[in-house]
Amino acid sequence: AGIIKPGVPIVLAPNPAEVEEIVRATAAARRATLVAAGDGTDVTSSFEEGRLTLRLETPRGRYGPVTLGLRGRHQLANALTMVRLAETIDATTAIGIPPSAIESGLRDVDWPGRLQLVTWQGATVLVDGAHNPSGARALAAYVSEVYGRLPFVFAAMRDKDIAGILAPLAPVMTSLTLTTISTPRAASFAELDAAAARAAPGVPRSHAASPLEAIDRAAQGGTTVAVAGSLYLAGDVLAALS
């Protein structure tokens, strides 16, 4: 609430009702203009190969069809919010943002470590930071819809809710290979194993001394491997595979 300033337009992303209520009340109290991203919009979409293609009509313009650069159905709300934000900036400032630039942003955005597909020694690796339960739920929904289940490589920081991250991922795991990260904050194998025993007790698990060793082991089944649990892990893997 402290970042909501009097008179400054605020674009509110689709959120649970209790969150929207707080933002709306705070905006009203501070006389800030509030733009609810979903209000007055019409969206049609299709989902293919992990990506959404959208047609979007807002009170100010029409966009698409455009295929989002970022994977996952959850990107629909993010895309809608970005469009309404760009429109609001265009309408309230001297910064001109034409519809073509908005469509380009939707299509060309690149976010390393967020449902990013890379290849290594013939294996396809799905790298996602997923360092909190919310991110893990989004990843699990994506894996469930696109792949069904996958072998996972996992590491995390010791100060994170490790069991809370693993719990939503457990139903889409065929196996779990625990590894380590190049930071003193990394959880130990014992800490990871204890959390996995609680959150994913039915998933076969093993340990590997490095992320690449873990990926190599997980990929022996000849399928895509998911890497998740930490942005540090995502960074280590992407650096090693680049």
Side-chain angles (χ1 to χ4, degrees), residues 29-43:
R30 303 199 177 188
R31 301 184 302 281
T33 302
L34 183 66
V35 178
D39 285 0
T41 62
D42 182 51
V43 183

Side-chain angles (χ1 to χ4, degrees), residues 160-164 166-167 170 190-202 205:
K160 295 290 186 175
D161 180 7
I162 301 173
L166 284 168
E191 291 167 324
L192 293 172
D193 198 67
R198 297 194 305 274
R205 61 185 184 272

Side-chain angles (χ1 to χ4, degrees), residues 1 5 7 14 73 80 87 90-91 99 104 133 139 144 152 155 161 166 179 187 190 199 214 220-221:
K5 305 300 182 184
R73 285 190 184 274
L80 179 58
E87 289 180 338
D90 181 65
S104 177
L139 173 58
S144 177
F152 269 72
D161 180 7
L166 284 168
T179 189
Q220 290 179 2

Side-chain angles (χ1 to χ4, degrees), residues 10-32:
I10 303 298
V11 177
L12 174 61
N15 274 294
E18 60 271 20
V19 176
E20 291 201 7
E21 183 179 350
I22 293 170
V23 176
R24 288 180 185 275
T26 305
R30 303 199 177 188
R31 301 184 302 281

